[in-house]
Amino acid sequence: MKLTTAGESHGKQLLGIIEGLPSNLEINIDEINKYLALRQSGYGRGARQKIECDKVEILSGVRNRLTLGSPLAFTVINKDYENWREFMAPEGCDTSKKTLTRVRPGHADLTGLFKYDQTDARNILERASARETTVRVAAGSIARGYLKALGVEVSGYVAGVCGIVDPNIYSFEQLSAAKSEPLFMLDKSLQSKAMSLLDKLKAEGDTAGGIIEIRIKGLKRGFGSCMEYSKKLDGVLCGALMSVQAIKGVEVGMGFKAANLPGSKVHDEIYYNGDFYRKTNNAGGIEGGMSNGEEIVLRAAMKPIPTLMRGLNTVDYITKAPEKAAGERSDVAAVCAAEIILESVAAFALAEVVSERLGGDNMREVLERYALLR
């Protein structure tokens, strides 16, 4: 299974092609659109979300809601393109009116100008933008359907915003309630504090990041590898999460806390009562690069959005004069969007791992092969 994406933030549309899907997988367009809407939600988002109302359109690979086994192509139209046509049209446009040379600290602008031999950072930021993740959320929603058919579920919540961290531990079943909260936080008192902080940061022209926890339930043992290090499940999943814009750290299970404790307080002891089991899950469901049957627990750190409305100190790429960085968007925080995106990329990465092991040209074969695993 493989995903290829294309499209720019203010271009005509965003596109995705998924190869390797088995036939007869049901595609629920309403479900895809639900997650696209969730990606645009959350306290602290800016005006762009009022312009776009993302909807997916399937172009190929599906007939009567079932996959055909051929590549599945889909698109999401950028409604804001009509406001940018004269600056972005591939057929010809006036690029001078939207040139960006006051490069933004923390963004791809400056390094991208050097790497791609450009003089206008617009040619970098349009693709580097997190708008690209719209495609990954749509693809992740399709991957969710594949995993759900096997009894595997993906969920998550926002565990912290700009230093306001929720220390509570929640069951998998509790996590879905987060989607109805303004900041996807489960502790309402902490969420209220975080929202007040975001209001303060907005008034100051500043931004915030946060901590997102992703959980995967129902995966059987043995996915991933201890023999080929490029196929270690934790490496694959962490790599997928780190590929998301603004994510600067990922941990599995106990993560960095494990470095500060003795082994007796870290490793999950093994018991047997008709089957092997553990009383703790500090490993986060992965041992030796393989799923061990427990819930997979991933945590990601999202940095503050690098475009501040008050602008950070920078240098104009052309004149070399000191400047304030350009303002390109008005989000204060996008932790809710990041939570949905991280769920989606985790789902797609896991679907790739599962698909590689099970194979199968159609869903009947996939289900039969998964049922044979312990």
Side-chain angles (χ1 to χ4, degrees), residues 56-305:
V56 72
E57 181 182 355
I58 305 295
L59 302 176
S60 68
V62 178
R63 185 183 186 213
N64 193 28
R65 297 187 294 276
L66 295 176
T67 56
L68 301 173
S70 55
L72 188 158
F74 63 91
T75 183
V76 176
I77 301 297
N78 280 330
K79 290 185 178 180
D80 203 19
Y81 176 69
E82 290 307 314
N83 299 321
W84 285 75
R85 181 187 295 272
E86 62 178 303
F87 321 118
M88 292 292 297
E91 301 86 0
C93 61
D94 185 357
T95 60
S96 66
K97 291 185 179 180
K98 285 291 183 179
T99 297
L100 191 147
T101 57
R102 291 181 291 144
V103 290
R104 297 163 297 167
H107 215 289
D109 298 354
L110 182 58
T111 303
L113 287 171
F114 284 109
K115 178 176 174 63
Y116 295 103
D117 193 23
Q118 300 285 346
T119 56
D120 179 2
R122 172 76 48 203
N123 294 334
I124 308 303
L125 69 90
E126 284 290 331
R127 178 60 181 172
S129 166
R131 178 73 182 147
E132 174 269 343
T133 60
T134 305
V135 178
R136 292 202 268 175
V137 169
S141 300
I142 293 169
R144 285 175 193 268
Y146 174 85
L147 295 173
K148 191 172 183 180
L150 303 177
V152 180
E153 297 179 81
V154 183
S155 192
Y157 71 107
V158 173
V161 175
C162 201
I164 300 174
V165 179
D166 184 352
N168 298 305
I169 298 174
Y170 301 99
S171 69
F172 187 90
E173 289 67 30
Q174 290 176 292
L175 302 184
S176 61
K179 304 298 190 298
S180 60
E181 295 295 331
L183 261 179
F184 289 12
M185 295 182 77
L186 291 168
D187 187 305
K188 294 182 184 296
S189 175
L190 291 172
Q191 178 173 248
S192 180
K193 291 180 181 178
M195 291 167 68
S196 295
L197 175 59
L198 292 184
D199 290 342
K200 178 176 180 291
L201 292 172
K202 182 177 182 179
E204 296 170 351
D206 217 332
T207 59
I211 299 171
I212 296 106
E213 182 167 305
I214 304 299
R215 306 253 285 277
I216 300 169
K217 180 181 180 180
L219 183 67
K220 292 184 178 182
R221 300 181 180 107
F223 287 91
S225 177
C226 63
M227 303 298 184
E228 298 176 69
Y229 289 101
S230 63
K231 295 183 178 180
K232 287 168 66 78
L233 183 59
D234 40 2
V236 171
L237 292 176
C238 289
L241 268 57
M242 283 295 294
S243 75
V244 174
Q245 292 87 334
I247 300 303
K248 301 302 288 185
V250 179
E251 62 181 11
V252 182
M254 185 178 279
F256 282 95
K257 293 180 182 177
N260 300 320
L261 296 171
S264 59
K265 303 293 184 183
V266 172
H267 302 297
D268 305 304
E269 295 182 307
I270 300 170
Y271 302 88
Y272 186 83
N273 183 14
D275 195 3
F276 296 96
Y277 71 97
R278 297 159 177 80
K279 296 180 180 179
T280 57
N281 188 25
N282 295 329
I286 301 175
E287 290 177 306
M290 302 170 290
S291 60
N292 65 11
E294 303 291 334
E295 273 188 22
I296 293 174
V297 181
L298 306 166
R299 221 165 283 107
M302 179 187 189
K303 72 178 182 180
I305 293 168

Side-chain angles (χ1 to χ4, degrees), residues 326-339:
E328 187 68 18
R329 59 186 291 177
S330 56
D331 287 2
V332 178
V335 287
C336 295
E339 194 281 324

